[in-house]
Amino acid sequence: MTYPTPSNVVDAREAAVRQASFKQQPGDLGGLTPTAQPEITTVPETKSASSKPWAHFLAGGLGGMTSATLTSPLDVLKTRFQSDFYQGQIAASRRVRGVPPPIQLGYFRSSVLHFTETFQILFSIHKLEGWRALFKGLGPNLTGVVPARAINFYTYGNGKRIISNQFNNGQETAWVHICAAINAGIVTGSATNPIWLVKTRLQLDKSRAEEAGSVSVRRYKNSLDCVRQTISTEGIKGLYRGLTASYLGVAESTLQWFLYEQGKLYLGRREARLVASGRDHTVWDRMIDWGGKIGAAGSAKFFAAIITYPHEVIRTRMRQAPLQDGRLKYTGLVQCFSTVWKEEGLASLYGGLTPHMLRVVPSAAIMFGMYEFVLRLCGTQA
């Protein structure tokens, strides 16, 4: 019997290694071929959205800043139409001119009257208060828009990724978009409500327009003064007036995100068919790629705003400053809704709809267009 020596052990090990590196193929006549090595999947080094969560924060902030600046005059006009103070001025002007209330007019005449009054007020702001009044509240507006949009897009973009990966095997479906949008709306509304309250009160400040062009003392000197007076008279909770109405606005943002994502899915399927056909991209195809997303953003905002607009009026009313005697006219969501309904009718819940739509539709197109553009610059996708 032969016992293996150390050298024999080494030779046996080397032979085993060489033997393991070959295998006999079933169809071969004893031929030995190298064993197929385990397949290694190499993940391409792409700049995915998951690798750059901060890109959504940056893109959302820049998009919100651009759109808010360009559409500020229409935002001032919308806020004044929604307030009961300016609604009273409009009603008085109608009585002087002998124009009956819109509720007594037909649909066509009331629509024409609404459009006429919208542009009359827009031009009167410039004449009575100067062009700077068209940008009144832009400072706190930007202070609110930039973090609000940054938080919203950051929360939505990354929330969508986390929800799809954790609960839907990485697949983005309609319910994933809805859940991400609801979460983003609640987080954004809670974080930025004090800023929107200050912005609304500054825009409704009665300045020189309060007494038909005569100079009067403003109630608030600036944003900090507005915050100080609000806390001193209403407490910290006064900064969160209108928060419940803001949560109603989650329905609008959720619907907007859902419709926007559906539009992008349609564009994605079109692009896939184009690539599969082997046809070269034309100028028209590139226009659809960019213009389609902008159009999807604008149309999504249009339908979402039309359906959920009354909450905008209720939110603005609840954020108004107290009356001269210190009392709050609107003390809660339900009370505010019922008071507006009883005193002014259903039509008042759509006060300021025209300037609102003139502002939010192009604003959404600008904001989402900038959002997508910045994401591309950052090497990631929405």
Side-chain angles (χ1 to χ4, degrees):
M1 185 174 182
T2 304
Y3 294 95
T5 62
S7 60
N8 291 336
V9 172
V10 173
D11 293 341
R13 288 177 179 174
E14 292 179 351
V17 171
R18 289 193 299 270
Q19 187 71 20
S21 64
F22 293 88
K23 71 176 183 179
Q24 185 173 2
Q25 302 297 323
D28 295 342
L29 298 176
L32 296 177
T33 58
T35 303
Q37 298 298 318
E39 184 177 349
I40 300 177
T41 303
T42 302
V43 179
E45 297 182 358
T46 57
K47 304 290 185 179
S48 62
S50 59
S51 63
K52 291 185 177 181
W54 55 267
H56 296 275
F57 190 88
L58 175 64
L62 290 176
M65 181 180 65
T66 304
S67 63
T69 303
L70 295 178
T71 60
S72 178
L74 292 173
D75 186 49
V76 173
L77 183 62
K78 177 209 73 172
T79 304
R80 294 194 176 191
F81 257 106
Q82 290 175 347
S83 71
D84 52 1
F85 174 75
Y86 288 98
Q87 284 293 330
Q89 285 191 334
I90 294 172
S93 175
R94 290 171 185 158
R95 288 193 296 270
V96 171
R97 293 180 290 141
V99 178
I103 195 173
Q104 299 179 9
L105 301 175
Y107 176 78
F108 178 76
R109 290 185 61 192
S110 62
S111 300
V112 172
L113 177 64
H114 187 60
F115 272 97
T116 304
E117 291 176 341
T118 297
F119 289 100
Q120 283 179 347
I121 291 181
L122 180 62
F123 296 138
S124 67
I125 293 174
H126 174 268
K127 293 179 180 178
L128 296 177
E129 305 174 55
W131 66 268
R132 291 178 181 272
L134 294 173
F135 294 89
K136 184 179 295 183
L138 180 59
N141 192 23
L142 287 177
T143 306
V145 164
V146 173
R149 296 308 177 189
I151 292 171
N152 188 269
F153 281 91
Y154 175 85
T155 308
Y156 177 80
N158 292 285
K160 178 177 65 173
R161 170 178 57 85
I162 293 172
I163 293 173
S164 62
N165 289 339
Q166 296 295 325
F167 304 102
N168 204 35
N169 298 322
Q171 301 297 317
E172 291 188 12
T173 56
W175 74 266
V176 171
H177 298 152
I178 292 174
C179 291
I182 293 175
N183 178 59
I186 293 175
V187 171
T188 304
S190 301
T192 61
N193 192 81
I195 301 174
W196 296 124
L197 179 131
V198 172
K199 170 226 170 190
T200 301
R201 292 192 175 183
L202 284 178
Q203 285 186 340
L204 296 179
D205 199 10
K206 298 178 183 179
S207 65
R208 289 180 293 177
E210 183 179 18
E211 297 180 7
S214 63
V215 179
S216 59
V217 179
R218 293 185 59 177
R219 183 167 190 171
Y220 305 115
K221 297 178 181 179
N222 49 46
S223 300
L224 292 179
D225 183 57
C226 181
V227 173
R228 182 185 61 80
Q229 291 193 40
T230 300
I231 294 177
S232 63
T233 57
E234 305 171 56
I236 295 294
K237 66 179 183 180
L239 295 175
Y240 288 90
R241 287 182 53 78
L243 182 59
T244 50
S246 295
Y247 287 157
L248 289 180
V250 173
E252 178 185 354
S253 62
T254 300
L255 182 58
Q256 180 185 357
W257 272 116
F258 172 75
L259 294 175
Y260 177 65
E261 292 285 3
Q262 294 303 308
K264 287 180 60 178
L265 287 176
Y266 170 79
L267 294 173
R269 289 192 294 267
R270 181 185 183 279
E271 178 66 17
R273 291 194 299 268
L274 182 62
V275 172
S277 67
R279 180 171 63 84
D280 293 335
H281 286 69
T282 62
V283 175
W284 175 252
D285 293 326
R286 287 189 287 270
M287 288 179 60
I288 290 181
D289 183 37
W290 274 99
K293 291 181 179 178
I294 294 176
S299 59
K301 185 63 176 181
F302 177 83
F303 289 109
I306 285 288
I307 295 173
T308 62
Y309 183 75
H311 93 275
E312 291 272 355
V313 177
I314 299 300
R315 182 172 61 187
T316 298
R317 298 293 180 93
M318 292 185 66
R319 287 174 176 168
Q320 289 180 180
L323 301 174
Q324 294 295 335
D325 57 3
R327 292 185 303 104
L328 292 173
K329 182 176 181 179
Y330 307 110
T331 58
L333 182 65
V334 177
Q335 183 268 346
C336 180
F337 183 85
S338 61
T339 300
V340 173
W341 182 291
K342 292 177 182 178
E343 293 183 353
E344 305 170 47
L346 177 63
S348 63
L349 293 174
Y350 289 87
L353 179 61
T354 299
H356 179 71
M357 299 305 295
L358 289 175
R359 183 187 70 87
V360 298
V361 173
S363 176
I366 294 170
M367 181 170 58
F368 278 82
M370 179 64 70
Y371 171 69
E372 297 281 354
F373 176 72
V374 174
L375 286 184
R376 287 196 179 187
L377 290 181
C378 294
T380 186
Q381 294 180 352

